[in-house]
Structures are given as structure tokens and as C-alpha cells.
Amino acid sequence: MKLGAFSISLSVKDLQKSRDFYEKLGFTTMAGTTESNYLIMKNGSTLIGLFQAMFDGNMLTFNPGWDENAQNLESFEDVREIQKRLKESGVEIGKEADETTSGPEHIYLKDPDGNMILIDQHR
């Protein structure tokens, strides 16, 4: 199963303070704006998303169809196919994708310790 680009999504209290902190660690902004309450930051091939007032808690994020530079992959496994395979394996899906659609869609699930996982397809 190919889940796509990986990042950690952090729920932050103050986006500007978090941005300043991660810039000191060598991260630069590659997407998002403070006005939209989120920034995607990159250091080498490492990605973090900083999200203010958008969700509770931190989560692992995968983006089918993208590489770590948010560039489209020629071929990828659609989130609906990933969902189907996870369900066949007995994994409980918290928010399911509409399997009658195509294009952008996402699912949520939790690991056995309650850690949130987002599989978010943008195309």
C-alpha cells in the first residue's frame, strides 16, 4: 500500500510563534499562509504542517498522489482503494471516503493507541 507523502500535522496555539521556532530549526515555509491559519514547512525531505484552530491534537498525515515537494506523482493508489484495503484488513475507519466519487477526498483513522491518521488526497 502506497500512502504518498508523509508529514506530521501539529495543532498549534500560536502560528507565528510556532513558525519562528521551526525556522530556527532550519524549516522554511513551502505552502499555506498565516491568514489561512496553516503553514506547511520543510527541512530537507522532512515536512511538518502547523495548523492553528483547525483540529484537536496532532496527527500523522499522508497525501496519496504527491511526493514530499507536493508535486503530482504519475501513478498513485487512490484514497478510496486504500480505504477498501484497510477495511478488508479489519481496520476501522473514522471518516470514510465516498467510494462513488473520484478526485480529492480524505479518510481518518486511529492507531491502537488513539493516534489520529489522516490520509488526504488532493487530486
Side-chain angles (χ1 to χ4, degrees):
M1 187 175 323
K2 294 184 180 185
L3 299 176
F6 170 76
S7 63
I8 182 98
S9 296
L10 303 175
S11 179
V12 301
K13 295 176 185 171
D14 185 315
L15 187 58
Q16 188 58 50
K17 282 184 182 179
S18 295
R19 177 186 191 162
D20 293 344
F21 175 82
Y22 283 100
E23 284 177 343
K24 290 174 184 172
L25 295 179
F27 284 84
T28 57
T29 301
M30 68 174 279
T33 64
T34 52
E35 295 77 27
S36 61
N37 290 331
Y38 82 94
L39 298 169
I40 307 301
M41 302 190 75
K42 186 173 183 180
N43 181 332
S45 62
T46 303
L47 296 170
I48 57 170
L50 306 176
F51 296 87
Q52 183 175 313
M54 293 181 82
F55 54 84
D56 295 326
N58 302 324
M59 69 179 111
L60 305 177
T61 302
F62 297 92
N63 300 112
W66 275 3
D67 68 13
E68 70 274 2
N69 295 309
Q71 298 298 307
N72 291 340
L73 297 172
E74 187 173 314
S75 66
F76 66 96
E77 192 166 348
D78 188 88
V79 68
R80 294 155 194 85
E81 181 60 30
I82 293 169
Q83 173 179 280
K84 180 181 175 188
R85 292 176 60 190
L86 290 171
K87 288 171 71 174
E88 287 171 353
S89 297
V91 174
E92 185 177 327
I93 308 295
K95 186 272 179 199
E96 293 189 17
D98 181 349
E99 294 181 4
T100 66
T101 63
S102 63
E105 182 60 280
H106 67 278
I107 63 175
Y108 289 107
L109 55 134
K110 291 183 180 180
D111 74 8
D113 294 301
N115 298 303
M116 186 68 77
I117 300 170
L118 168 65
I119 302 176
D120 190 14
Q121 180 175 307
H122 295 283
R123 60 188 200 110

